[in-house]
């Protein structure tokens, strides 16, 4: 049995075990990477460990550390209140604002993980305060990032168009961009309807803000305010005065957050390095208040992503994607091969970097485009979307960021299962959807 088959079987096994048993899939992935890498691919342990994405791990640690501090000093609450006023208190508009703001960031050139890292924690803060389904809000951010991610000046768009040019394929940048935006917008609409969006249309932020219970007052006190309880007929209301020190910390945190966004997006600096630098500076300014913030870093998520990204590198080293892609190209019907390639892109990208996959998966499609009578622009758009729409997966950077910044209103195991379930649905239905919409009509 060749290494490509061994790696694929091991991938299926770790996914099944991690789903059925309460074992961190990252730990399982490390075991699979070691066994497959050493005994099937004859890699050294150093070569296996070289596959871990240090950039991704640093991003998770830096972003969650920074937002632990932001939450501790009440800045997240301040941002939420201000943004709600901007939409006139209409709760149903909040997810859509998050979707289009994230889409705009990626469309003008921000890396998808950077945009999700900046907008995700804020969006999930809204979800916690205004009783919005956390899965709805988190996935809106990810789909927004992917929706704008294929503009002609974006990272994904630039990579896709360059690969098409290098392989002498006729490119159509706007076709790929608009197709991605349309598919992700459709996914957002479905999520909005299924996950309680219609209920939100009748809600006003003022109504929810007026329902302040004892638990919320405790949070306010934790943020440094001084609260006074007044009991009425079965309700608790609270007023508070904000300590000057907390106001100072909030201003400094807002400045730090703005600088992180500017430096990471405008100057193309690593979001992980920038975030952890900002977090350390804020912690130094208020060391006692933030001494436990590091404990709030999502360490189980870090293990999950580190292990899975390591195994994804082993999977690539075994040439499993090329193996399946070559098999798909050899099928008798080009239209069936196109569907198989869409699924290859979706399944592999759910565990690996979409940015790294695009230059690999598009050239594999060249024989089908050349000999099968399939339009290049539509086929590449379908492959690109199928390979990125699955970034909702908790094993991908964007999905992992949503998991790492989950609101306190939902436990990590529950939120993980929700994201995992949704990502499985997307992996199963997404490639078929884009294939039916973009490739099948022109066949």
């Amino acid at each position: 049995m060749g290494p490509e088959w061994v790696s694929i079987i091991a991938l299926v096994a770790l996914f099944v075990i991690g789903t059925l048993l309460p074992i961190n899939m990252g730990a399982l992935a490390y075991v699979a990477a070691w066994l497959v890498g050493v005994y099937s691919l004859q890699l050294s342990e150093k070569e296996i460990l070289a596959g871990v994405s240090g950039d991704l791990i640093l991003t998770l640690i830096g972003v969650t550390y920074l937002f632990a501090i932001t939450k501790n000093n009440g800045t997240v609450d301040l941002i939420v209140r201000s943004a709600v006023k901007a939409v006139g208190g209409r709760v149903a508009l909040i997810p859509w604002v998050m979707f289009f703001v994230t889409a705009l960031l990626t469309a003008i050139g921000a890396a998808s993980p950077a945009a999700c890292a900046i907008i995700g924690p804020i969006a999930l803060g809204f979800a916690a305060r205004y009783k919005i389904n956390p899965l709805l809000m988190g996935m809106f951010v990810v789909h927004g990032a992917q929706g704008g991610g294929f503009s002609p000046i974006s990272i994904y768009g630039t990579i896709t168009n360059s690969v098409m040019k290098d392989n002498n394929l006729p490119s159509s940048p706007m076709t790929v961009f608009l197709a991605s935006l349309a598919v992700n917008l459709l996914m957002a609409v479905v999520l909005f309807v299924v996950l309680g969006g219609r209920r939100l249309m009748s809600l006003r932020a003022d109504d929810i803000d007026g329902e302040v219970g004892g638990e919320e007052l405790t949070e306010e006190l934790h943020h440094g305010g001084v609260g006074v309880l007044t009991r009425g007929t079965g309700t608790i209301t609270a007023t508070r005065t904000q300590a000057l020190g907390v106001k100072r910390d909030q201003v400094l945190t807002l400045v730090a957050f703005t600088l992180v966004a500017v430096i990471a997006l405008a100057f193309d600096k690593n979001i992980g390095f920038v975030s952890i630098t900002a977090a350390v500076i804020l912690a130094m300014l208020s060391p006692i208040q933030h001494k436990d913030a590091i404990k709030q870093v999502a360490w189980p998520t870090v293990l999950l992503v580190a292990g899975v990204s390591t195994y994804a590198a082993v999977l690539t080293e075994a040439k499993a994607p090329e193996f399946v892609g070559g098999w798909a190209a050899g099928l008798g019907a080009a239209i069936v091969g196109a569907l198989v390639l869409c699924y290859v892109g979706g399944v592999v990208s759910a565990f690996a970097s979409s940015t790294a996959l695009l230059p690999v998966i598009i050239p594999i499609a060249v024989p089908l485009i050349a000999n099968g009578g399939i339009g290049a622009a539509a086929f590449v758009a379908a492959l690109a979307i199928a390979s990125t729409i699955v970034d909702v997966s908790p094993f991908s950077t964007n999905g992992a960021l949503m998991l790492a910044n989950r609101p306190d209103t939902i436990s990590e195991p529950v939120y993980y299962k929700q994201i995992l379930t949704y990502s499985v649905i997307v992996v199963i239905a997404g490639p078929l959807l884009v294939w039916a919409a973009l490739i099948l009509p022109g066949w």
Side-chain angles (χ1 to χ4, degrees):
M1 184 181 296
E4 64 278 356
W5 273 112
V6 173
S7 64
I8 292 172
I9 293 172
L11 174 64
V12 174
L14 75 87
F15 186 80
V16 171
I17 295 172
T19 302
L20 297 178
L21 300 178
I23 302 174
N24 188 296
M25 199 171 293
L28 291 169
Y30 267 125
V31 174
W34 181 55
L35 294 177
V36 174
V38 171
Y39 298 105
S40 182
L41 294 170
Q42 286 74 51
L43 298 175
S44 68
E45 293 171 341
K46 185 175 182 180
E47 288 174 324
I48 294 171
L49 290 174
V52 67
S53 174
D55 174 75
L56 172 55
I57 302 306
L58 179 60
T59 297
L60 286 174
I61 295 174
V63 168
T64 53
Y65 186 22
L66 175 60
F67 277 92
I69 291 175
T70 305
K71 181 181 177 183
N72 286 349
N73 62 26
T75 307
V76 169
D77 185 65
L78 178 63
I79 294 172
V80 168
R81 290 178 182 273
S82 300
V84 168
K85 289 181 180 178
V87 296
R90 291 181 287 273
V91 175
L93 292 181
I94 296 175
W96 293 106
V97 170
M98 298 298 105
F99 178 94
F100 286 109
V101 167
T102 314
L104 177 62
L105 288 177
T106 55
I108 62 177
S112 181
C116 288
I118 292 168
I119 303 300
I122 297 174
L124 290 169
F126 279 113
R129 183 160 190 92
Y130 294 106
K131 301 177 182 179
I132 301 171
N133 188 307
L135 181 63
L136 167 67
M137 188 65 94
M139 297 304 97
F140 256 57
V141 172
V142 179
H143 281 303
Q146 304 312 89
F150 282 94
S151 81
I153 61 173
S154 69
I155 294 176
Y156 285 159
T158 301
I159 292 173
T160 301
N161 296 325
S162 297
V163 173
M164 292 183 73
K165 182 179 179 181
D166 292 342
N167 287 273
N168 299 315
L169 296 174
S171 62
S172 179
M174 291 307 296
T175 297
V176 178
F177 172 44
L178 293 177
S180 176
L181 180 60
V183 170
N184 282 280
L185 189 59
L186 174 62
M187 299 298 292
V189 171
V190 173
L191 282 168
F192 189 80
V193 173
V194 173
L195 297 181
R198 289 173 293 180
R199 176 186 61 84
L200 300 178
M201 297 177 70
S202 62
L203 296 180
R204 301 283 300 185
D206 291 342
D207 297 333
I208 298 175
D209 285 334
E211 300 173 0
V212 181
E215 184 175 318
E216 290 177 283
L217 179 63
T218 301
E219 183 179 359
E220 297 285 339
L221 291 171
H222 178 66
H223 289 161
V226 179
V228 179
L229 281 175
T230 304
R231 293 189 179 274
T233 57
T235 62
I236 300 177
T237 59
T239 61
R240 71 183 180 101
T241 59
Q242 185 76 47
L244 292 177
V246 175
K247 285 185 177 180
R248 183 210 65 172
D249 287 350
Q250 290 176 345
V251 171
L252 291 174
T253 303
L254 288 172
V255 171
F257 185 78
T258 302
L259 289 175
V260 166
V262 171
I263 294 172
L265 301 181
F267 295 96
D268 194 27
K269 299 299 180 182
N270 184 283
I271 186 71
F273 277 122
V274 178
S275 296
I276 203 167
T277 300
V280 168
I281 293 173
L282 291 172
M284 290 172 64
L285 293 174
S286 300
I288 296 178
Q289 182 183 9
H290 301 307
K291 63 184 178 67
D292 292 329
I294 194 66
K295 297 179 182 179
Q296 299 175 44
V297 172
W299 296 114
T301 303
V302 172
L303 172 60
L304 171 72
V305 175
V308 172
S309 64
T310 299
Y311 187 75
V314 170
L315 197 70
T316 302
E317 184 68 24
K319 300 188 181 303
E322 289 92 334
F323 170 75
V324 178
W327 171 75
L331 293 175
I335 193 70
V336 177
L339 177 60
V340 172
L341 278 186
C342 286
Y343 272 104
V344 170
V347 172
V348 174
S349 185
F351 295 90
S353 168
S354 300
T355 305
L357 179 64
L358 287 173
V360 175
I361 195 72
I362 293 175
I364 295 175
V366 172
L368 288 177
I369 294 173
N371 303 322
I374 301 177
F379 195 0
V380 171
L383 280 177
I385 297 169
S387 300
T388 55
I389 197 173
V390 295
D391 280 1
V392 295
S393 161
F395 314 119
S396 68
T397 308
N398 293 348
L401 284 167
M402 297 307 106
L403 178 62
N405 290 285
R406 64 175 178 80
D408 292 338
T409 53
I410 187 170
S411 68
E412 182 171 3
V414 171
Y415 199 41
Y416 168 73
K417 287 182 179 179
Q418 289 183 356
I419 295 178
L420 179 61
T421 301
Y422 177 65
S423 65
V424 169
I425 294 173
V426 173
V427 168
I428 293 173
L432 181 61
L433 171 65
V434 296
W435 174 81
L438 298 173
I439 298 178
L440 193 59
W443 174 247

